[in-house]
Amino acid sequence: SVTDDDLYRLQHAFPEQTVLGALDLIDRGNVLKYTTSWGHTEYEIIGSNGTYLVLLDVSTTGYPYFCSCPAFIHYVLQQKNHVMV
């Protein structure tokens, strides 16, 4: 569930369209949470153009998060011009 505090922080970090799209994915049940056998949490996001993997608390990559979607790869990993960097 998303709290009012979560929404407040999201609205100040991301464009409104991004936040609304993410909330729509959650509402439609397109965000699946998995816990691996070694206790790590992973998320699978079923989007309109594919299914993507999201990892949180990734300490070995130099970034605290990772997503296999093209936007993350382009804006965060390649251009390094996103708020998550």
Side-chain angles (χ1 to χ4, degrees), residues 14 18 45 52-58 61-85:
F14 299 100
T18 301
I45 312 301
Y52 306 103
L53 176 66
V54 175
L55 305 172
L56 305 177
D57 299 323
V58 181
T61 65
Y63 295 95
Y65 316 104
F66 176 79
C67 180
S68 64
C69 68
F72 183 87
I73 293 167
H74 178 74
Y75 290 111
V76 178
L77 298 181
Q78 293 175 345
Q79 291 192 355
K80 298 181 183 199
N81 68 353
H82 195 272
V83 71
M84 296 174 93
V85 176

Side-chain angles (χ1 to χ4, degrees), residues 31-70:
V31 178
L32 307 173
K33 180 180 177 182
Y34 298 99
T35 303
T36 64
S37 59
W38 56 91
H40 193 263
T41 301
E42 299 179 358
Y43 297 87
E44 185 176 76
I45 312 301
I46 304 165
S48 57
N49 294 321
T51 300
Y52 306 103
L53 176 66
V54 175
L55 305 172
L56 305 177
D57 299 323
V58 181
S59 59
T60 59
T61 65
Y63 295 95
Y65 316 104
F66 176 79
C67 180
S68 64
C69 68

